[in-house]
Amino acid sequence: MDADRIKTRSVLLEFLKFRVLAAGEEFFDSTGLEHRRQWLALVHPQALDLSDEDLEQIWNQARILYTEC
């Protein structure tokens, strides 16, 4: 992993924390792969540099860390 990618991943995870904590598990109901990039373009465009695999990993990590699953 390069430094920029690591930084982008960590910033996105921190950004998601407040979204997930506010919405709970429902946050993940409307953030499927297709919708995810559209949403990120509006609220966190720098995350669009990440691959779909990176985004999936971050979404899974956010679910584990910030919900009661």
Side-chain angles (χ1 to χ4, degrees):
M1 281 193 193
D2 66 348
D4 289 338
R5 183 171 162 236
I6 292 168
K7 182 179 179 184
T8 301
R9 286 175 57 106
S10 65
V11 169
L12 178 58
L13 185 60
E14 182 70 17
F15 175 80
L16 290 176
K17 175 171 46 175
F18 300 104
R19 301 290 178 151
V20 174
L21 290 175
E25 187 65 33
E26 292 81 32
F27 173 83
F28 298 99
D29 293 343
S30 63
T31 57
L33 186 57
E34 303 82 29
H35 182 262
R36 192 176 294 161
R37 287 197 173 275
Q38 293 171 352
W39 180 74
L40 286 170
L42 297 172
V43 298
H44 199 70
Q46 57 270 41
L48 295 175
D49 291 339
L50 296 171
S51 69
D52 287 342
E53 181 180 323
D54 282 332
L55 292 176
E56 187 66 25
Q57 289 173 355
I58 293 166
W59 250 249
N60 289 336
Q61 188 174 6
R63 177 177 267 153
I64 291 166
L65 291 172
Y66 308 133
T67 66
E68 295 182 14
C69 290

